Amino acid sequence: MAIPWDLIVVQTVNGIVTGMILALVASGLTLIFGIMDVVNFAHGELFMLGAYIGVLVLASTGSFLLALTTASLVVALIGAALQIVTLRPLIGRDPLTTILATFGASLVLQNYALWQFGPISRKIAEPVSGQFHLLYLEYPWYRLVIAVASAAIIGAFWLFLKFGRYGIWIRATTQDRVMAQAMGIPVPWVHTGVFAIGAAMAAASGVLFGPLVGVEPYMGLPWVLKAFIVVVVGGMGSFGGSIAAAIFVSLLESYASIWVSPSQAIIVSFVVLILTLLFRPTGLFGSASR
Amino acid sequence: MTKTWNDDNEDFWYSGKVTRRRLVGWGGGILGATMLVPAPWRAAFGAEKPFKVGSLQPLTGPAAPGGKTSIVGLQMAVDRINKTGGIHGRPVQLIIEDDESKPDVGRRKAQKLVEEDEVDVSCGGFLSNVCLACMPVWAQNKIVNMISVCLDTTITGSACNKYTFRPFDAAPAQAVAFGPELVKLGKKWHIVYADYSWGQSTRDAYAEGIKKHGGEVVGATGIPIGTADMTPFLSKITGNFDGLFGIFFGKDGVTLGNQAYDLGLTKKYKFAGDGAIAVPSNLPALGNKIEGFYGIDRYIPVFQGPLDNPYNRRFFAEAAKRLKTVAPQAPVPDRYVQSNYEAMNCLKLGMEKSGFTGRKDSNKLIAALEGLHMKLSDDFPQGDKFLRKEDHQAFLTEFIYQIKGGKYHLIEAVPADKTVYPSMCTMPA
């Protein structure tokens, strides 16, 4: 059987682009888990809220960049409020309570969006239109823009974590919460800050991805499900692991779709998840101590 | 000692101002007061026992946006019935349950409507997998089930039963109506469809419809519902064919329209599909990317051809007014509003003809509905239609349209008798 090189090239590009969007969603999720041990079931709704705020800002200003920035900032504030009101009181309780709290928040946010914005899908116009020839296909420039923007946001955050004063606080709190508190780091506020950053990353991905799908109250669900797979495969709480796993899983699905149907290709990510849980429960890039 | 959140919480409950006992007391009082307030129909109907109509609708979950507009149509019909004297002088009480867009929940709620609410008839259902899961519940309890949105072919085909009726179109009827136009647009087609019960049965119906008129389906790509990024799957679609035919609904319709355009597929090939892709609630998110799309639907919000009638204008005006309450952008009525409205009116017509008094008269109601002809009127603003006795499937006018300048342009109205296909139902005894 001849190897379909043209399809392999196209699907490599697709896998990397989808992987970068997924990485942006998953990195917020893994960050929140890594530092707070909270599995945030409301992450998809923060993604959706970001997209809706993007719609409103874009409609009133016409600036995509302003929409992206405003949505990230507003959703960061919403995230901070959500953490203070619902999660901070649950610190030290059974982890199940935080799962229920974030699940409850997700239902509230979904129904709020449906009530506030109605059943009509909204549009975010892409800032860059047009296509280029990719072998047999017309490929949209905007998908490359999404990949580059996601990489830039993730890269900026990595630099902040590595060299920024508050980034060091976050890393210290991730490594040893008690010791960080003893050293004078305000751990509860670090938690709030991290939740806000995770929420902002979800919002940014919502605005970036909005032009491809339309904005509606349940748009976050499929992404957050995949992001959970990526977070587990990459290693719960491992920032770099999540990014690598996002690209790995997306590439696998894209390649699989060359030979099998889309429904079967989607199963690939679940197979990877099951194999990871069976043979390396800490994730491909997670530390064994977690 | 520092006060914790928990202490504050306990203060609330034990402060002596708002005790649990008092809260329960207040709750009981409020509940009692609510029971004293008469139901809305009491003033008009006195002590007449209402007909209870159970309705399963997706109020949460991925299909919730469609469920919201469906209820507008259903409630509009019920309000109109009650305003004009009810059915045999008895009011209609609508009991809506949220199926959460899930078949298992739908089945449980159907059981609840049967056992706890003791509904007389059912009128509802949005997602086909929910409808299919609930059909045995209605059949086992001998309750007439008027489907209001579900389109899966098997509902009135291989899964048919004597209690279930579909008073609107099915995919094979659309395929019969659309087939000649599609083959005029191009001989060779590739079908991309939602990979679940409705999408699969609709794909088969169109494949047959296209083949029957001398065309050919050269390939088919099934994409699971809810797939956010279809690009990796759409990228594979290439080759020597004339048209791309889409079968999706809701947000998947928006995703297909946007991403097929972005990949240049809608420029390279003719783009046509099920009307669910380009329903009015999807058009804002599709923008100019849906320009030129050919669709077929049982209802489009225009006053052209047979839809330019006073009944449709009245239906349109009232539905648009009510839709403003669920959508701030003031949408126009779509196929979901229309089919829910007409399904309830179809049930009313059958109940009136049969002298239906309750669940025990289900057989009389079935006999009245089988072969029922519905005439263009305020009850049926979409047009004339009839319910075939053999499979309980309705046949009605189909509207073939093209999107131009972001608006629907009617190309052809295919009359009901030109959409008939052979029954695929063997009614179980």
Side-chain angles (χ1 to χ4, degrees):
Chain A
M1 192 174 70
I3 298 168
W5 289 111
D6 50 351
L7 263 175
I8 288 174
V9 172
V10 168
Q11 296 299 35
T12 304
V13 176
N14 279 329
I16 292 170
V17 171
T18 310
M20 287 314 298
I21 305 165
L22 193 54
L24 191 59
V25 183
S27 53
L29 203 60
T30 201
L31 187 69
I32 291 167
F33 180 81
I35 198 158
M36 295 166 62
D37 289 338
V38 167
V39 180
N40 181 18
F41 275 88
H43 205 69
E45 282 60 49
L46 297 169
F47 174 97
M48 170 270 291
L49 273 188
Y52 269 117
I53 294 166
V55 168
L56 298 177
V57 177
L58 195 61
S60 54
T61 67
S63 165
F64 186 86
L65 201 61
L66 198 61
L68 183 67
T69 320
T70 312
S72 305
L73 290 174
V74 173
V75 175
L77 289 174
I78 294 170
L82 194 67
Q83 197 274 338
I84 292 168
V85 174
T86 61
L87 295 174
R88 193 180 278 187
L90 300 177
I91 289 173
R93 300 251 189 114
D94 187 331
L96 185 66
T97 58
T98 60
I99 291 175
L100 290 174
T102 55
F103 185 66
S106 85
L107 293 179
V108 170
L109 292 175
Q110 274 172 12
N111 287 294
Y112 167 74
L114 190 56
W115 169 73
Q116 178 67 40
F117 301 105
I120 294 181
S121 298
R122 308 286 192 99
K123 184 173 182 64
I124 297 182
E126 53 269 74
V128 177
S129 56
Q131 292 111 326
F132 64 94
H133 286 289
L134 180 65
L135 301 168
Y136 62 90
L137 207 63
E138 298 266 298
Y139 205 80
W141 281 109
Y142 181 65
R143 286 184 72 87
L144 297 190
V145 170
I146 300 179
V148 172
S150 300
I153 294 170
I154 291 168
F157 183 68
W158 182 81
L159 289 173
F160 164 76
L161 273 184
K162 189 86 179 160
F163 303 109
R165 175 188 164 89
Y166 299 118
I168 292 168
W169 283 16
I170 292 171
R171 284 194 292 136
T173 310
T174 311
Q175 281 171 15
D176 193 326
R177 203 177 291 162
V178 177
M179 184 59 79
Q181 181 111 41
M183 298 298 287
I185 294 173
V187 170
W189 286 108
V190 171
H191 283 182
T192 306
V194 163
F195 202 91
I197 293 168
M201 290 171 104
S205 37
V207 178
L208 284 171
F209 195 66
L212 303 184
V213 290
V215 179
E216 52 88 40
Y218 298 90
M219 68 182 290
L221 284 177
W223 283 104
V224 87
L225 177 67
K226 268 209 174 148
F228 274 123
I229 294 172
V230 159
V231 167
V232 174
V233 172
M236 296 286 274
S238 167
F239 186 65
S242 289
I243 294 157
I247 295 170
F248 174 63
V249 166
S250 299
L251 277 173
L252 271 186
E253 273 189 13
S254 294
Y255 290 142
S257 71
I258 297 175
W259 291 283
V260 298
S261 74
S263 300
Q264 290 163 331
I266 281 173
I267 295 171
V268 168
S269 54
F270 292 97
V271 172
V272 172
L273 174 71
I274 292 165
L275 291 176
T276 307
L277 288 172
L278 279 176
F279 298 108
R280 199 173 156 82
T282 53
L284 298 180
F285 306 94
S287 67
S289 60
R290 278 202 75 85
Chain B
M1 198 178 73
T2 320
K3 250 186 164 189
T4 65
W5 176 86
N6 208 32
D7 295 335
D8 287 339
N9 201 21
E10 291 199 349
D11 283 350
F12 172 78
W13 289 106
Y14 299 114
S15 64
K17 286 177 183 168
V18 186
T19 62
R20 279 185 181 135
R21 188 171 295 174
R22 281 186 193 184
L23 205 69
V24 170
W26 289 349
I30 291 165
L31 197 69
T34 313
M35 287 168 79
L36 291 174
V37 176
W41 60 80
R42 283 277 186 251
F45 297 95
E48 285 294 346
K49 192 182 161 205
F51 283 113
K52 289 184 178 177
V53 178
S55 184
L56 289 172
Q57 300 287 352
L59 303 182
T60 53
K68 287 267 177 192
T69 51
S70 292
I71 286 178
V72 168
L74 196 58
Q75 191 65 56
M76 201 168 119
V78 169
D79 290 349
R80 200 172 144 268
I81 292 168
N82 285 339
K83 218 172 156 182
T84 50
I87 300 171
H88 296 309
R90 284 172 62 183
V92 172
Q93 181 188 356
L94 191 57
I95 303 171
I96 296 168
E97 283 294 337
D98 177 14
D99 63 33
E100 299 174 23
S101 314
K102 296 173 190 159
D104 56 326
V105 177
R107 199 179 161 103
R108 206 172 62 237
K109 295 287 179 73
Q111 206 73 46
K112 186 238 168 206
L113 285 169
V114 171
E115 288 163 9
E116 288 179 32
D117 299 308
E118 297 179 333
V119 297
D120 297 301
V121 285
S122 152
C123 182
F126 188 91
L127 289 176
S128 289
N129 50 0
V130 178
C131 278
L132 285 164
C134 297
M135 278 168 63
V137 177
W138 306 118
Q140 279 155 19
N141 292 282
K142 299 184 170 52
I143 292 174
V144 171
N145 171 33
M146 191 64 69
I147 302 267
S148 64
V149 169
C150 302
L151 267 168
D152 185 88
T153 305
T154 62
I155 289 171
T156 50
S158 57
C160 69
N161 67 50
K162 72 181 264 197
Y163 295 94
T164 294
F165 291 80
R166 180 158 48 197
F168 53 93
D169 54 354
Q174 288 190 338
V176 169
F178 208 2
E181 182 67 29
L182 287 175
V183 177
K184 252 193 267 171
L185 289 170
K187 289 275 180 205
K188 292 180 179 176
W189 287 84
H190 185 108
I191 296 178
V192 53
Y193 62 96
D195 203 358
Y196 93 119
S197 54
W198 166 70
Q200 291 158 359
S201 60
T202 306
R203 170 204 60 196
D204 296 342
Y206 275 102
E208 207 180 309
I210 290 168
K211 201 175 153 192
K212 199 176 157 190
H213 291 93
E216 188 188 352
V217 173
V218 295
T221 304
I223 299 178
I225 52 171
T227 301
D229 193 6
M230 293 185 183
T231 298
F233 310 128
L234 296 176
S235 299
K236 262 182 75 181
I237 298 175
T238 183
N240 182 25
F241 56 90
D242 307 305
L244 183 70
F245 191 88
I247 303 168
F248 286 92
F249 73 98
K251 65 176 180 166
D252 290 341
V254 176
T255 305
L256 174 77
N258 275 308
Q259 297 185 12
Y261 174 91
D262 289 344
L263 291 170
L265 295 175
T266 60
K267 274 180 273 174
K268 196 170 168 187
Y269 306 111
K270 290 270 191 302
F271 186 32
D274 188 284
I277 290 173
V279 287
S281 54
N282 279 358
L283 287 188
L286 285 162
N288 61 356
K289 293 182 180 176
I290 198 70
E291 197 62 17
F293 173 81
Y294 292 91
I296 185 164
D297 216 324
R298 60 178 172 267
Y299 185 79
I300 48 172
V302 296
F303 302 118
Q304 298 166 26
L307 288 170
D308 188 7
N309 67 67
Y311 310 107
N312 184 37
R313 284 181 186 273
R314 279 198 287 274
F315 164 78
F316 186 100
E318 176 64 18
K321 197 170 78 185
R322 287 173 180 248
L323 282 163
K324 274 185 195 166
T325 61
V326 296
Q329 318 92 311
V332 291
D334 57 16
R335 62 200 251 161
Y336 306 129
V337 180
Q338 172 269 333
S339 60
N340 272 276
Y341 177 80
E342 293 198 352
M344 187 59 229
N345 286 331
C346 176
L347 207 45
K348 178 195 81 167
L349 195 59
M351 287 161 83
E352 282 174 346
K353 274 187 80 172
S354 63
F356 182 82
T357 57
R359 225 189 262 187
K360 64 178 169 36
D361 293 331
S362 286
N363 280 335
K364 279 159 68 180
L365 177 56
I366 291 166
L369 289 170
E370 285 179 339
L372 184 75
H373 281 260
M374 294 156 264
K375 289 276 162 212
L376 174 70
S377 60
D378 279 321
D379 282 350
F380 303 103
Q382 189 268 357
D384 294 352
K385 47 188 69 66
F386 66 94
L387 266 170
R388 183 162 63 183
K389 186 180 176 183
E390 290 80 7
D391 56 359
H392 298 178
Q393 172 61 51
F395 293 89
L396 50 150
T397 308
E398 293 288 348
F399 301 101
I400 299 171
Y401 64 87
Q402 190 180 18
I403 302 284
K404 281 185 194 169
K407 291 195 166 72
Y408 299 92
H409 284 264
L410 185 64
I411 295 175
E412 190 185 348
V414 184
D417 58 337
K418 297 270 191 290
T419 70
V420 178
Y421 63 92
S423 169
M424 294 179 276
C425 160
T426 312
M427 207 57 85

